[in-house]
Amino acid sequence: MLNEKHDLIHEFPEHKALIHTLKMENSHFARLFDEYHDVDHEVRRIETGAETTADEYLETRKKQRLLLKDQLFEMIQKELTA
């Protein structure tokens, strides 16, 4: 949806503390988190009209954001079950 927040804290508010811990203690999680944030920020700029691109590019970036979110959530879930 247009202008909807997709940062990880909004996506998984119940895991805010764990996300912070993983960012500090797990370099792979931190790298994926930063990449997710960058892609999300780019998608939001495109959706708000601050940048223009082809529709295909926007869809590709949204798919990348979803893939990263899935990977990050999987890491959160593994930590919760460890």
Side-chain angles (χ1 to χ4, degrees):
M1 293 221 148
L2 187 61
N3 265 341
E4 190 173 303
K5 290 195 177 266
H6 287 279
D7 62 88
L8 283 187
I9 301 305
H10 282 89
E11 292 290 320
F12 310 119
E14 67 278 14
H15 301 303
K16 181 178 179 178
L18 180 56
I19 290 169
H20 177 73
T21 299
L22 286 169
K23 280 178 23 187
M24 297 296 113
E25 297 177 358
N26 184 318
S27 61
H28 181 64
F29 184 92
R31 184 184 60 78
L32 291 177
F33 179 92
D34 290 343
E35 186 177 348
Y36 177 87
H37 173 77
D38 291 345
V39 172
D40 181 53
H41 187 68
E42 180 182 17
V43 168
R44 290 185 48 119
R45 286 192 319 262
I46 294 168
E47 289 180 335
T48 61
E51 293 183 20
T52 57
T53 68
D55 290 343
E56 296 82 18
Y57 179 79
L58 176 58
E59 288 306 311
T60 299
R61 297 307 279 167
K62 284 181 176 182
K63 288 176 184 176
Q64 179 66 24
R65 178 176 66 184
L66 183 58
L67 175 65
L68 288 165
K69 183 171 78 170
D70 288 346
Q71 291 172 338
L72 289 161
F73 185 67
E74 182 178 328
M75 294 175 80
I76 291 168
Q77 290 297 98
K78 283 183 182 177
E79 191 68 26
L80 289 171
T81 59

